[in-house]
Amino acid sequence: MLLHHRILHPRLFLPFVSFSAAPSRSLRSDHPLLLHASGRRNPVSLLARSHSLSTVAQLAVSAPLEVDAPILRQIADEEDGGPQVQIPLDKLFVPPGVDLAEAASMASGRVLRGSNIVLGPYARDAQVATAEFIKSSTKTEECPTDGLPEFALVGRSNVGKSSLLNSLVRRKRLALTSKKPGKTQCINHFRINDSWYLVDLPGYGYAAAPQEARANWYEFTKNYFLNRGSLVSVFLLIDASIPAKKIDLEYASWLGQNQIPMTLLFTKCDKRKKKKNGGKRPEENVEDFQKLIREYFKEAPPWIMTSSVTNQGREEILLHMAQLRNYWLKH
Ligand code: GDP
């Protein structure tokens, strides 16, 4: 059963959390935040507290305060380079098994750095110990039948999918498997730790591919999304170094309209040159993309900023996958 059937999102609105968008050794602290949970009379205010060595920003209870928060706002540059951004709480992704209001009142809610994802109790066994290529399938029916949970990576050609897969499993040759002739149009299954799958789907939007081939790829990936019972979440890769592309917006909105659980992985977040790339920074492109797809989603989809050059987002992706997977296995 797909995960979205099992997720209960508490309706929260208002405040924002603050975190560093880039890997940081010493995160700054003390940005006052506000949580106004529906059904509560008194708004609960939160304080985002970051600390060294941690990959998360901590939320803690503080004095009440009411603000109209921006969606995602860059507020300051960190000493070691990464800008800080703020997210209103209604734009956070609360994973299944977590009640954000409760977590906040217990001063234990945490948000994964460079993402909108709240870290919950199911985030364990996140590391990749073993990874092996299992098979290439041309149809959903040919995919492995052992029922292990899986995450599918998909994105426009050249978005950085192979690089990200390499970085996740830390094995260059493995991801190259999907690029071998004959396998680029297949559903490629990689088994991780003998207990779950990373699935590499064909890149879309490859201009040189014949129209007919492109149409077929769409059909078979759509069939896979709609019918693969062990698919926990699609990971849609979006290049954050350039403005949103129509084809990516269409892909994301299709997933939203069909209620396929989706995580946005913004790639190439290390590319910070403003004048090139349409004049926008990765953070701005991330914000724009979300605004453009908002109407297609009931709840804010989870997103993570990544770079295969700096390894930004690697731990966060693995923790996010772990908490979705462990919840899925238990329910
Ligand atoms: P794929 O076609 O989606 O598998 O994309 P690739 O992984 O082959 O990457 C396409 C191009 O983008 C290559 O030139 C990569 O070196 C480059 N690239 C991939 N990821 C990153 C990244 O995180 N940062 C930067 N700066 N370049 C990247």
Side-chain angles (χ1 to χ4, degrees):
M1 199 206 295
L2 293 180
L3 187 70
H4 60 86
H5 295 312
R6 305 168 180 180
I7 299 177
L8 258 182
H9 290 281
R11 294 299 306 170
L12 296 165
F13 60 99
L14 261 206
F16 46 87
V17 291
S18 157
F19 62 85
S20 168
S24 159
R25 283 182 306 281
S26 59
L27 296 169
R28 266 212 305 276
S29 63
D30 298 344
H31 295 292
L33 304 171
L34 172 69
L35 166 67
H36 195 151
S38 61
R40 278 176 187 258
R41 282 192 169 195
N42 302 316
V44 180
S45 143
L46 301 177
L47 190 70
R49 203 194 302 130
S50 317
H51 53 85
S52 57
L53 301 177
S54 170
T55 57
V56 298
Q58 296 249 351
L59 307 179
V61 177
S62 176
L65 170 75
E66 271 198 67
V67 290
D68 209 357
I71 300 301
L72 178 74
R73 188 158 62 87
Q74 189 177 322
I75 55 169
D77 280 332
E78 287 254 298
E79 285 153 37
D80 49 358
Q84 287 211 345
V85 291
Q86 296 182 329
I87 307 171
L89 279 192
D90 68 331
K91 297 292 178 286
L92 285 178
F93 172 76
V94 182
V98 175
D99 179 328
L100 185 57
E102 197 179 311
S105 70
M106 292 167 66
S108 61
R110 296 180 294 174
V111 176
L112 289 174
R113 190 170 58 209
S115 86
N116 68 335
I117 299 169
V118 173
L119 191 63
Y122 287 94
R124 54 179 184 273
D125 303 326
Q127 288 311 314
V128 173
T130 61
E132 57 178 324
F133 171 68
I134 299 298
K135 73 179 292 195
S136 291
S137 317
T138 52
K139 294 183 192 142
T140 312
E141 303 80 63
E142 290 171 8
C143 291
T145 53
D146 50 19
L148 295 177
E150 65 193 40
F151 302 95
L153 301 180
V154 68
R156 208 159 32 79
S157 300
N158 228 34
V159 71
K161 186 158 56 73
S162 311
S163 308
L164 192 80
L165 187 53
N166 283 335
S167 134
L168 286 177
V169 300
R170 294 200 200 278
R171 280 178 56 190
K172 287 202 170 144
R173 293 243 163 138
L174 201 69
L176 285 179
T177 312
S178 301
K179 291 212 158 179
K180 282 187 186 155
K183 305 232 165 141
T184 51
Q185 299 175 35
C186 293
I187 303 169
N188 293 306
H189 274 79
F190 299 90
R191 195 163 57 213
I192 311 297
N193 301 348
D194 271 332
S195 60
W196 55 281
Y197 289 109
L198 272 175
V199 181
D200 194 11
L201 294 176
Y204 56 82
Y206 183 52
Q211 184 64 34
E212 198 184 322
R214 275 188 267 167
N216 275 344
W217 297 350
Y218 288 136
E219 273 324 300
F220 98 109
T221 48
K222 280 180 182 172
N223 180 288
Y224 166 85
F225 293 142
L226 293 169
N227 298 307
R228 184 69 172 158
S230 51
L231 176 63
V232 179
S233 179
V234 176
F235 281 63
L236 177 61
L237 278 65
I238 304 294
D239 187 339
S241 70
I242 53 170
K245 293 250 184 205
K246 188 165 169 261
I247 194 166
D248 292 332
L249 294 167
E250 283 169 1
Y251 219 100
S253 57
W254 185 88
L255 290 168
Q257 282 164 330
N258 287 279
Q259 299 190 319
I260 312 289
M262 177 193 78
T263 299
L264 292 170
L265 294 185
F266 290 101
T267 62
K268 308 190 187 182
C269 292
D270 57 285
K271 286 185 156 186
R272 315 202 68 81
K273 291 212 176 91
K274 218 183 158 185
K275 285 241 163 93
K276 286 183 187 174
N277 309 326
K280 295 216 172 176
R281 295 194 173 117
E283 296 75 25
E284 295 170 295
N285 288 326
V286 166
E287 179 178 359
D288 289 351
F289 194 89
Q290 288 174 83
K291 278 186 188 153
L292 291 164
I293 61 163
R294 187 166 310 146
E295 65 185 285
Y296 302 106
F297 293 84
K298 262 198 256 166
E299 310 285 346
W303 55 264
I304 305 174
M305 295 179 74
T306 76
S307 162
S308 302
V309 172
T310 64
N311 268 334
Q312 178 187 355
R314 182 182 184 274
E315 298 300 314
E316 288 75 12
I317 293 171
L318 293 176
L319 282 166
H320 175 56
M321 287 179 170
Q323 62 183 4
L324 293 182
R325 192 173 67 235
N326 291 325
Y327 182 87
W328 188 91
L329 286 167
K330 277 224 160 179
H331 294 84

